[in-house]
Amino acid sequence: MKNKTAVNTRKKVDHGIQKYLLTGVAATSVAIIFLIILFIFIESTEAISAIGPWEFISGTEWRPFNGSFGAFPIILGTILTTIGALIFAVPLGITSAIFLSEIASERTRNILKPVCEVFAGIPSIVYGFFGLMVIVPFIFNTFPNLAPAGFSWLAASILLGIMALPTIVSVSDDAMRSVPKSHREASVALGATHWETTRKVVIPAAFSGISAAVMLGMGRAIGETMAVVMVAGNAPNIPEPMWNVFEMIRTITSTLAKEVGEVTGLHLSALFLLALVLMAMLLLTNLTANLIMRNTKRKFETGQGMIEKHLPDNVKNVINMAKRPVMLSMAFVVVMMMASLFTDIIVSTLIAFACILFISTMPFISKRIRSLNRQRIAHLAMSASMIVVCAILFILIADITVKGIPALSWEFLTDVPRDMGRAGGILPAIVGTVQLIIGTALIALPLGILTGIYLAEFAKDNRFTKIVRSSIDILNGTPSIVFGLFGFALFVHYLGIGRTLIGGCIVLAFLILPVIIRTTEETVKAVPQELREASAAMGATKWETTAKVIVPAAMGGVVTGVILSLGRAAGETAPIMFVAAVGIKRHIEFSLFDTIMALPYYLYYLTEVPNSEEVRYGVALVLLMIVLSMFAIASMVRHHYSKKVRW
Amino acid sequence: MVKIYENNNDGNVITIDSLNLWYGENQALIDVSMPVMKNKITALIGPSGCGKSTLIRCMNRMNDLVNGCRIEGSMKFRGDEIYEPGADVISLRKRIGMIFQKPNPFPMTIRDNITYGPKIHGVVENDELDEIVERSLKQAVLWEEVKDRLDKPAFSLSGGQQQRLCIARTLSINPEVILMDEPTSALDPIATAKIEDLAIELQKEYTVVIVTHNMQQAARISDNTGFMYLGKMIEFDETEKIFNKPSDELTERYITGRFG
Ligand SMILES: Nc1ncnc2c1ncn2[C@@H]1O[C@H](COP(=O)(O)OP(=O)(O)OP(=O)(O)O)[C@@H](O)[C@H]1O
Ligand SMILES: [Mg+2]
């Protein structure tokens, strides 16, 4: 009896300490998250009061060195490139997703689905490099008179679209896959063709998931930095005319990337304000996405969405009737604007008319085709679009591999750079990247994993937890360039320690912290409740259950998530470009307080060194291989654990 | 235009002859033969996993949706082979409707659930669609309960109402045969009784095939009964005979609950 009491007290003390420890860690990461958000707010106050919020947003002249901070062209640039990216990526992405989910055989799908995930994980600097070496010259060669340099809004939008594609395809595919089989069977049993079932049952049922996919892709496009900087031309002007996709354009992110490293005072504060605008735009995107999703969910459950509910019937009828004409006239305007870039106004109006005529006769034509033939045509179109997506991704890989292989050699991997990077090797960059990953892991893993466990197992369902969750969400959606800005202001500007390895590690750790917290929380939560109950039933405390049962069961998922996020950190450029990295170092250092070379930044640096093409491709290939091997390891880990743990 | 599925007008709507079916390597149906007679209710009974669902899903080719499913033997609908290459699956399914075990209305309004089929098959006039909605719901004895809430989502109905909605949805395209795979197993006794009454009512105009685990149900409503075991049709006969004087010992043991 006595002994037992003693054991119990010891247990209690132990668990008290452990619990406080866990809560403390969780509080720390939450504090960090708040700190960053607060920091950005405080830093931008100077600009708000000196420039004035309205003047900042509406001013059309961005000339920081003359003291004029009109951000309108830049904000507009972000919006325009994003719209362009969506016009390119949404139709292609959704149709490919339809192919993947509804048409492809299980074998094809099992290949293409992971391919999508890998492409979503390729560093943006590699995409940017591809844009610079392939898309920009392509645009220049195709439209030499319209886009005299190739650097353009069009290039940026195509590239951003390509980058958003894997996300859109993969998430839409998930959404369509989760439509229950029973809906499909009911439709088929009524004599509907496979295609009719897809169009009339599966897509409407998956609508909210597909919208979420689009919003995710859109968020990625808005926050993307390196890829845009490298192809957009970055002139802070409003295109003339406004729909001239061949003009150079500048986004919020590219402004940050171009201007941070060298500024202080009001200019720096104005950049923080820009970052704030960027985050507000992303927040707005997310809120809209949530609204759409909740609305569709409501629509399915109660027959009408929140918005429709408050509308009188006649307004609803008008909306329903106006839908088609409005869409058609929008299409008309877009086609006319694009055509007017090439020819005069009369011809472009005619072209637009022809297009509208074609679109509006489609339903009549399609009615005359037998349903099975209609299905054949539709399936062909969906497959074609998947082929286009695959072709784009294939070209990307092939271009970098074919041109990168000649650069690879023992010397390339073991020598230091020579002749400004045109020759020699990349050893310091490899070492620097490895140092960054290790440092990042040391900071982010304990914090992130423990916080994730805390949130999943111990957090009470109260207001505080809600705030914590939403701040994690905010940080998760924060573009990487904003982390770079934050790191620059903190380490270089205030602490005055300049660019350092430790600074880079901290910033990257903050960047991946929300991802690690979330994956950990999700995997831990996915552990079946029975396991917890079984352990509790044997008299284990909550802490013992967590440590001995839950965490081991969730290990596979956590490790996979960690590897993937470290892979992401390894490829990031924007966060370290002002905080840690320099272009070239001739020797290898192991000091926390020294600058480093890193692969992604080195690739960026080389794009500004003339005649360095071969080395550039070599670096891009090495980066690609690092990221791909991270994916391979992650999927091996997943496979390993999925064999061990089963429920 | 060649007339399909119109060749015979004797009493048998569907004739199955030595049908074999494999899921991959597993044979799920072995030499099954049976008729489905016009304007009769045919019940399929047998222990779990014996192939009842598989067999009933063959009748409107729902097994086409299953990967790795292979079929040999003969199944005729109105005198035409339905598994022949080039057979018209769409019009087959239009004429042989199906009700599933779990009610599966579409996530749409009640009205849209009913008009889905007719629209697919080319009905566009609103008046005509309204007529179809009313007729189908009346036939499924659901009209009185839902006529004021046709634009509410189907999910707002109770389970039994949902199942009757699914029946109405099937009736909307005027099938000749209605296949029901354990249509009442997810329902309470009152809803079950309603569906049973409905099946008897439907039999006047339609031909019904029903899979059931409920012996009383089979005995009460069906004209013919087939007893299946391990993928084989052990005995097929008039319900009277199956339940009173089965010729096979297995059937007798199953009917009397002394099985296994
Ligand atoms: N999609 C499928 N793929 C592979 N095997 C299947 C599939 N569907 C059924 N089977 C197998 O075929 C056999 C017959 O199954 P079926 O569903 O027809 O039985 P059942 O008589 O309807 O049983 P229950 O009364 O439980 O519904 C079973 O052994 C089952 O495992
Ligand atoms: Mg069954």
Side-chain angles (χ1 to χ4, degrees):
Chain A
M1 270 291 123
K2 220 178 191 176
N3 259 341
K4 205 173 168 190
T5 329
V7 169
N8 274 344
T9 354
R10 213 191 62 229
K11 252 188 178 177
K12 253 187 202 147
V13 174
D14 260 13
H15 299 156
I17 293 172
Q18 278 148 347
K19 195 161 174 202
Y20 282 121
L21 196 85
L22 209 57
T23 318
V25 172
T28 313
S29 31
V30 171
I32 290 170
I33 292 169
F34 276 128
L35 203 79
I36 297 179
I37 296 171
L38 200 70
F39 194 87
I40 294 172
F41 264 107
I42 293 175
E43 281 300 303
S44 49
T45 47
E46 187 188 339
I48 294 177
S49 60
I51 304 165
W54 178 244
E55 285 74 8
F56 183 76
I57 290 178
S58 62
T60 54
E61 211 150 277
W62 182 264
R63 290 219 193 100
F65 301 107
N66 297 345
S68 65
F69 294 96
F72 182 70
I74 296 172
I75 297 170
L76 185 71
T78 297
I79 295 172
L80 292 180
T81 44
T82 305
I83 292 177
L86 289 179
I87 290 179
F88 175 75
V90 169
L92 206 53
I94 293 179
T95 45
S96 310
I98 293 173
F99 172 81
L100 209 54
S101 146
E102 305 298 312
I103 303 170
S105 70
E106 204 61 17
R107 278 241 316 275
T108 318
R109 202 181 111 86
N110 285 343
I111 299 171
L112 290 180
K113 188 83 190 193
V115 165
C116 276
E117 270 154 41
V118 170
F119 275 98
I122 289 182
S124 52
I125 189 82
V126 174
Y127 277 107
F129 177 65
F130 172 73
L132 179 70
M133 305 304 277
V134 177
I135 297 176
V136 168
F138 174 78
I139 289 176
F140 168 70
N141 290 327
T142 322
F143 312 105
N145 302 323
L146 292 163
F151 296 98
S152 55
W153 166 10
L154 183 62
S157 283
I158 292 179
L159 189 57
L160 287 175
I162 294 176
M163 295 175 73
L165 268 177
T167 312
I168 295 181
V169 173
S170 178
V171 180
S172 312
D173 167 70
D174 286 341
M176 283 187 266
R177 278 262 147 172
S178 62
V179 173
K181 207 172 105 209
S182 64
H183 291 344
R184 296 165 208 263
E185 287 194 326
S187 167
V188 169
L190 284 167
T193 61
H194 188 102
W195 170 243
E196 283 162 341
T197 304
T198 304
R199 205 162 70 90
K200 303 216 164 116
V201 176
V202 177
I203 295 177
F207 183 78
S208 73
I210 296 175
S211 329
V214 170
M215 289 296 169
L216 273 177
M218 184 169 157
R220 182 153 191 202
I222 293 176
E224 178 47 47
T225 308
M226 299 320 291
V228 181
V229 172
M230 292 165 84
V231 302
N234 304 318
N237 305 322
I238 300 170
E240 180 62 49
M242 223 220 270
W243 54 85
N244 187 350
V245 292
F246 297 106
E247 258 189 50
M248 295 190 184
I249 204 163
R250 179 193 265 226
T251 64
I252 297 180
T253 52
S254 59
T255 306
L256 296 178
K258 281 280 172 200
E259 295 181 9
V260 169
E262 40 210 66
V263 297
T264 53
L266 183 60
H267 190 178
L268 184 61
S269 177
L271 293 180
F272 267 101
L273 190 52
L274 265 186
L276 211 57
V277 173
L278 182 64
M279 288 173 75
M281 286 168 73
L282 282 167
L283 202 66
L284 208 68
T285 315
N286 286 341
L287 289 180
T288 321
N290 280 339
L291 198 73
I292 294 176
M293 281 196 288
R294 256 188 297 161
N295 201 40
T296 357
K297 213 170 143 213
R298 269 280 276 278
K299 223 175 183 165
F300 277 151
E301 281 162 6
T302 65
Q304 55 184 186
M306 289 168 277
I307 304 162
E308 288 94 324
K309 203 175 161 182
H310 300 294
L311 293 176
D313 275 346
N314 46 1
V315 176
K316 263 190 275 185
N317 288 341
V318 169
I319 291 178
N320 265 339
M321 273 170 32
K323 243 186 214 163
R324 254 184 95 76
V326 167
M327 299 273 252
L328 279 179
S329 35
M330 263 163 64
F332 181 83
V333 171
V334 171
V335 173
M336 199 168 97
M337 287 195 304
M338 288 305 115
S340 72
L341 296 176
F342 297 94
T343 70
D344 62 74
I345 187 78
I346 298 170
V347 178
S348 38
T349 314
L350 285 179
I351 293 175
F353 259 121
C355 281
I356 297 310
L357 210 66
F358 179 71
I359 297 174
S360 48
T361 48
M362 282 287 271
F364 299 103
I365 296 173
S366 95
K367 253 188 212 127
R368 306 192 148 263
I369 305 173
R370 277 189 47 217
S371 60
L372 277 173
N373 288 334
R374 218 154 45 210
Q375 161 161 313
R376 247 170 241 141
I377 296 170
H379 282 193
L380 215 65
M382 305 295 127
S383 321
S385 125
M386 187 81 232
I387 291 172
V388 170
V389 172
C390 289
I392 294 173
L393 301 181
F394 176 78
I395 292 173
L396 188 149
I397 295 282
D399 182 65
I400 291 176
T401 315
V402 170
K403 295 184 184 155
I405 283 179
L408 293 192
S409 64
W410 182 243
E411 189 210 346
F412 186 71
L413 296 176
T414 54
D415 198 1
V416 298
R418 299 179 193 283
D419 189 16
M420 299 204 29
R422 290 190 192 94
I426 55 167
L427 183 63
I430 295 178
V431 173
T433 294
V434 171
Q435 286 173 324
L436 272 175
I437 296 181
I438 293 174
T440 304
L442 288 178
I443 302 167
L445 297 199
L447 270 180
I449 293 178
L450 290 178
T451 309
I453 294 175
Y454 172 81
L455 282 178
E457 292 291 311
F458 296 95
K460 301 210 172 52
D461 198 12
N462 56 21
R463 223 194 152 89
F464 176 72
T465 313
K466 243 191 196 152
I467 295 176
V468 171
R469 288 234 163 77
S470 25
S471 44
I472 292 173
D473 281 348
I474 292 178
L475 201 68
N476 196 22
T478 302
S480 56
I481 187 74
V482 175
F483 286 91
L485 175 65
F486 163 79
F488 171 79
L490 182 65
F491 295 111
V492 181
H493 193 62
Y494 284 109
L495 300 180
I497 58 173
R499 299 181 182 206
T500 57
L501 171 60
I502 178 92
C505 293
I506 291 176
V507 172
L508 284 179
F510 289 176
L511 176 77
I512 64 170
L513 192 60
V515 185
I516 293 183
I517 293 177
R518 268 190 158 185
T519 20
T520 310
E521 187 187 352
E522 274 161 27
T523 22
V524 169
K525 270 196 175 153
V527 175
Q529 195 58 30
E530 297 91 77
L531 241 61
R532 294 189 181 85
E533 280 162 9
S535 169
M538 292 191 305
T541 61
K542 175 120 196 175
W543 173 258
E544 280 168 334
T545 307
T546 308
K548 303 230 169 80
V549 178
I550 309 289
V551 172
M555 201 59 144
V558 174
V559 174
T560 313
V562 163
I563 295 172
L564 290 181
S565 52
L566 288 179
R568 177 174 164 207
E572 281 288 355
T573 314
I576 56 168
M577 63 195 293
F578 319 115
V579 180
V582 291
I584 290 202
K585 287 184 73 140
R586 289 218 166 58
H587 36 83
I588 291 161
E589 259 154 329
F590 289 96
S591 159
L592 279 179
F593 292 94
D594 219 321
T595 56
I596 51 148
M597 252 183 102
L599 284 168
Y601 185 68
Y602 188 45
L603 180 55
Y604 182 57
Y605 165 86
L606 284 178
T607 58
E608 317 221 305
V609 177
N611 303 323
S612 61
E613 277 80 3
E614 189 177 304
V615 183
R616 289 183 206 171
Y617 270 108
V619 177
L621 183 57
V622 171
L623 246 182
L624 206 58
M625 286 190 326
I626 290 181
V627 174
L628 289 184
S629 48
M630 289 284 208
F631 266 96
I633 296 171
S635 74
M636 257 146 46
V637 169
R638 198 178 316 176
H639 188 71
H640 175 76
Y641 278 98
S642 72
K643 268 206 218 140
K644 244 170 70 177
V645 189
R646 243 198 209 147
W647 51 70
Chain B
M1 190 86 193
V2 193
K3 284 231 165 137
I4 40 165
Y5 308 133
E6 298 291 353
N7 281 337
N8 87 332
N9 276 312
D10 64 10
N12 294 352
V13 180
I14 296 174
T15 323
I16 301 171
D17 196 10
S18 345
L19 194 77
N20 289 286
L21 180 145
W22 291 263
Y23 290 120
E25 295 294 297
N26 278 341
Q27 185 161 11
L29 294 179
I30 305 163
D31 260 335
V32 172
S33 302
M34 67 174 272
V36 173
M37 293 175 199
K38 195 158 191 276
N39 291 65
K40 295 267 160 67
I41 297 183
T42 305
L44 293 175
I45 58 173
S48 199
C50 67
K52 304 179 298 292
S53 298
T54 303
L55 179 59
I56 201 173
R57 286 166 60 93
C58 282
M59 297 180 190
N60 66 345
R61 292 192 57 170
M62 287 304 282
N63 283 325
D64 289 11
L65 303 189
V66 178
N67 279 335
C69 175
R70 194 161 54 82
I71 293 169
E72 274 173 19
S74 153
M75 169 157 330
K76 288 189 177 140
F77 172 53
R78 301 282 228 105
D80 282 320
E81 283 294 342
I82 66 169
Y83 282 102
E84 234 168 37
D88 187 345
V89 192
I90 301 297
S91 68
L92 175 77
R93 291 196 185 124
K94 206 176 137 187
R95 293 170 62 176
I96 304 184
M98 182 160 214
I99 312 296
F100 298 83
Q101 178 168 358
K102 260 178 68 190
N104 58 353
F106 296 125
M108 308 169 182
T109 61
I110 294 170
R111 185 198 305 275
D112 290 347
N113 262 281
I114 308 280
T115 57
Y116 180 84
K119 277 184 181 163
I120 292 274
H121 296 297
V123 180
V124 283
E125 295 300 325
N126 274 331
D127 300 345
E128 198 180 344
L129 288 171
D130 285 344
E131 255 168 55
I132 292 176
V133 170
E134 185 170 342
R135 172 184 60 79
S136 320
L137 286 170
K138 276 184 173 157
Q139 275 184 318
V141 204
L142 190 59
W143 175 250
E144 289 304 322
E145 288 157 74
V146 301
K147 64 179 181 209
D148 300 323
R149 44 197 276 216
L150 292 176
D151 290 314
K152 289 274 176 310
F155 289 160
S156 67
L157 298 174
S158 74
Q161 288 174 324
Q162 285 186 19
Q163 193 63 301
R164 275 179 284 147
L165 177 67
C166 291
I167 294 175
R169 184 175 63 187
T170 301
L171 297 177
S172 70
I173 51 171
N174 281 318
E176 291 159 44
V177 182
I178 299 171
L179 310 174
M180 300 181 166
D181 190 354
E182 299 185 41
T184 59
S185 66
L187 306 179
D188 65 49
I190 295 174
T192 300
K194 280 192 181 155
I195 303 272
E196 285 178 5
D197 291 345
L198 182 54
I200 294 170
E201 194 59 34
L202 290 175
Q203 167 206 11
K204 292 175 190 152
E205 282 177 61
Y206 306 87
T207 303
V208 176
V209 183
I210 184 167
V211 169
T212 179
H213 270 289
N214 182 333
M215 262 356 107
Q216 285 86 30
Q217 189 171 68
R220 204 161 43 229
I221 68 173
S222 71
D223 304 299
N224 293 320
T225 299
F227 168 63
M228 294 183 71
Y229 183 58
L230 295 179
K232 292 193 181 118
M233 182 65 74
I234 303 296
E235 193 172 350
F236 184 92
D237 217 324
E238 284 167 12
T239 304
E240 276 266 329
K241 235 177 123 219
I242 293 273
F243 280 91
N244 296 326
K245 272 204 314 268
S247 49
D248 196 287
E249 197 199 338
L250 267 173
T251 318
E252 181 172 359
R253 273 172 43 203
Y254 185 71
I255 304 284
T256 50
R258 291 180 286 118
F259 204 75

